[in-house]
């Protein structure tokens, strides 16, 4: 191989480097050839001493990339050095495969850690938002009978089904329950003393039936509705001629403690006792139950159940789990960062060692 052919192949092998860098390298080897010929060496002998121009180009590219990385230490520049060294055949398959598997596990570690961290953050923020803005609850206007929506008559209580709309059957006006049942429907009320009061409509005329005369005096009857002092009523039941039933009960402090409703095979049940309570929804084979210590969902043969941690409520269990996820994610992320720094240092040391080996070979060839 002639000097001209050697330099041409060397230039082709250096493609990818900056043009000014390639010119400097070619100028150095032009000068090397001139010095060797001036010393009386044969051109073919010099070419043979330098070896393959393609291999020399790969070694020079590795050294150039290493110098660039020393000037500006970044992951991109280090990656170029590693790729250049791999092109020399120094990184054999036996060594590269375990390293790639290690990087894969490290990447998975980052993904899992970040996922745990985000999951824990979502749980804690959700729990905190409930604690800040309040948990869903049934409220009262003081009479204990604020259920449903606001309308022209104030707070209205209505049991709705696909067949009928009973928003006009019961509502609240200044703390009094206003009742106007349809024909065939009836209201059953129980006072705080346990006495019963029955309100129904027969042939378009409102009727009131009471177990005690004093109880009957609680009701005011006019042409269109019956009104009862809501503070005196403990339980209200609406029975429709279709068989649908709606029942609500309040405690001594006028707080809703029980709500039962059924219509067309669907059922809703709410019970509260002090700070604890439960809600259940049923529709055929499907059911949802929410209590202080459990959340259960059943749909035919499928069943999902979430139990609270021993001694804790579902809400507090969610907080504990969220904090646990946050801690696990943070520790995992710190561990992955530590491994990354350790890997970086080991990789830098290995690259430096390989570059020194390549530079030593170049010096030996030049001396020859």
């Amino acid at each position: 191989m002639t000097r001209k052919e050697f330099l041409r192949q060397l230039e082709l092998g250096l493609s990818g480097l900056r043009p000014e860098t390639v010119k400097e390298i070619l100028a150095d080897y032009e000068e090397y050839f001139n010095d060797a010929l001036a010393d009386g060496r044969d051109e073919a002998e010099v070419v043979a001493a330098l070896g393959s121009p393609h291999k020399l180009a790969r070694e020079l590219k590795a050294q150039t990339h290493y110098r660039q990385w020393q000037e500006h230490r970044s992951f991109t520049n280090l990656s170029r050095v590693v790729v250049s060294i791999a092109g020399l055949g120094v990184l054999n398959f036996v060594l590269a495969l375990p390293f790639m598997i290690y990087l894969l596990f490290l990447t998975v570690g980052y993904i899992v850690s970040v996922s745990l961290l985000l999951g824990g953050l979502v749980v804690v923020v959700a729990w905190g938002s409930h604690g800040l803005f309040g948990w869903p609850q049934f409220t009262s206007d003081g009479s204990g009978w604020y259920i449903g929506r606001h309308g022209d008559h104030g707070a209205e209580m209505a049991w709705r089904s696909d067949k009928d709309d009973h928003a006009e059957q019961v509502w609240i006006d200044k703390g009094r329950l206003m009742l106007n049942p349809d024909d065939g429907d009836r209201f059953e009320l129980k006072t705080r003393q346990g006495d019963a009061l029955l309100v129904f409509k027969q042939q378009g005329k409102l009727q009131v039936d009471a177990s005690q005369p004093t109880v009957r005096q609680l009701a005011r009857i006019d042409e269109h509705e019956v009104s009862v002092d809501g503070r005196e009523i403990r339980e209200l039941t609406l029975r429709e001629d279709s068989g649908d039933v709606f029942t609500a009960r309040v405690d001594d402090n006028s707080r809703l403690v029980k709500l039962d409703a059924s219509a067309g095979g669907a059922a809703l049940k709410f019970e509260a006792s002090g700070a604890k309570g439960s809600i259940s929804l049923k529709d055929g084979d499907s059911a949802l139950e929410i209590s202080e210590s459990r959340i259960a969902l059943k749909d035919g043969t499928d069943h999902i159940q979430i139990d609270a941690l021993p001694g804790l409520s579902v809400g507090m269990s969610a907080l504990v789990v969220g904090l646990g996820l946050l801690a696990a994610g943070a520790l995992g992320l710190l561990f992955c960062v530590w491994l990354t720094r350790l890997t970086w240092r080991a990789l830098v040391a290995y690259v430096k060692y390989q570059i020194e080996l390549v530079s030593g070979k170049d010096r030996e060839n030049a001396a020859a």
Side-chain angles (χ1 to χ4, degrees):
M1 183 183 298
T2 64
R3 166 183 176 177
K4 183 177 180 180
E5 179 65 19
F6 180 90
L7 292 176
R8 189 184 70 81
Q9 292 187 17
L10 180 61
E11 183 179 6
L12 291 176
L14 294 174
S15 60
L17 296 179
R18 291 194 294 263
E20 57 271 20
T21 303
V22 175
K23 289 181 180 180
E24 290 178 4
I25 294 175
L26 292 177
D28 289 340
Y29 277 90
E30 283 277 7
E31 184 179 356
Y32 175 75
F33 270 103
N34 293 333
D35 292 341
L37 294 176
D39 291 339
R41 298 175 62 186
D42 184 65
E43 184 177 281
E45 179 186 352
V46 176
V47 170
L50 290 174
S52 170
H54 298 292
K55 182 179 180 181
L56 178 60
R58 291 195 295 269
E59 293 174 352
L60 292 172
K61 289 177 73 173
Q63 294 173 6
T64 302
H65 287 149
Y66 181 71
R67 286 194 297 270
Q68 291 175 352
W69 175 78
Q70 285 183 316
E71 295 173 0
H72 180 62
R73 299 203 171 195
S74 66
F75 181 78
T76 302
N77 287 339
L78 183 61
S79 300
R80 292 195 183 114
V81 179
V82 173
V83 172
S84 299
I85 293 177
L88 298 175
V90 177
L91 291 175
N92 55 51
F93 181 77
V94 177
L95 182 62
L97 183 59
F99 182 70
M100 296 302 295
I101 295 176
Y102 165 76
L103 290 181
L104 177 62
F105 276 103
L106 185 60
T107 303
V108 172
Y110 269 109
I111 295 174
V112 172
S113 299
V114 172
S115 300
L116 290 175
L117 197 63
L118 292 178
L121 185 63
V122 169
V123 173
V124 171
V125 169
W127 185 92
S129 65
H130 283 303
L132 182 63
F133 299 108
W135 294 84
Q137 60 182 349
F138 292 94
T139 58
S140 171
D141 68 340
S143 66
W145 299 107
Y146 173 25
I147 311 168
R149 61 186 178 84
H150 287 278
D152 297 335
H153 302 287
E156 295 181 354
M157 178 173 63
W159 168 241
R160 294 177 177 270
S161 66
D162 294 336
K163 299 178 181 179
D164 302 292
D165 181 1
H166 301 288
E168 301 301 327
Q169 289 197 23
V170 54
W171 66 93
I172 294 176
D173 187 4
K174 298 179 181 179
R176 297 187 66 84
L177 284 172
M178 311 299 292
L179 308 175
N180 183 20
D182 292 336
D183 282 338
D185 297 345
R186 63 178 182 176
F187 285 100
E188 299 174 1
L189 295 86
K190 288 185 180 180
T191 66
R192 296 184 181 275
Q193 289 74 30
D195 299 321
L197 180 66
L198 181 63
V199 179
F200 59 96
K201 184 177 289 186
Q202 189 174 21
Q203 296 180 353
K205 186 177 181 180
L206 285 172
Q207 302 288 335
V208 176
D209 187 10
S211 58
Q212 299 291 335
T214 55
V215 177
R216 196 179 191 286
Q217 295 176 1
L218 295 175
R220 298 177 186 174
I221 307 174
D222 61 23
E223 184 179 354
H224 300 290
E225 68 248 353
V226 175
S227 66
V228 183
D229 188 351
R231 293 170 296 182
E232 298 296 329
I233 302 302
R234 172 64 65 87
E235 183 174 300
L236 179 147
T237 300
L238 169 61
R239 298 185 185 275
E240 306 176 20
D241 58 354
S242 62
D244 297 342
V245 180
F246 170 86
T247 301
R249 180 186 298 170
V250 296
D251 61 11
D252 294 334
N253 296 317
S254 296
R255 292 177 301 191
L256 185 66
V257 294
K258 181 179 180 181
L259 178 65
D260 282 313
S262 62
L268 165 67
K269 185 176 183 180
F270 164 81
E271 290 185 1
S273 176
K276 299 182 179 180
S278 64
I279 298 176
S280 66
L281 298 171
K282 294 182 180 180
D283 185 5
D285 294 334
S286 302
L288 171 64
E289 296 181 7
I290 303 176
S291 65
E292 190 74 8
S293 60
R294 184 181 67 177
I295 298 176
L297 175 62
K298 184 178 181 181
D299 185 8
T301 57
D302 299 328
H303 188 197
I304 300 175
Q305 181 170 315
I306 302 175
D307 292 317
L309 297 175
L312 297 177
S313 65
V314 173
M316 289 303 298
S317 298
L319 177 61
V320 171
V321 171
L323 292 176
L325 291 175
L326 274 176
L331 290 175
L333 195 59
L334 289 175
F335 181 69
C336 289
V337 170
W338 176 77
L339 281 180
T340 302
R341 292 176 61 88
L342 191 65
T343 304
W344 175 275
R345 293 175 182 175
L347 190 59
V348 168
Y350 180 78
V351 166
K352 184 178 180 181
Y353 171 74
Q354 295 297 336
I355 291 296
E356 288 177 351
L357 288 180
V358 172
S359 300
K361 291 180 181 179
D362 287 346
R363 286 192 293 269
E364 291 177 0
N365 292 336

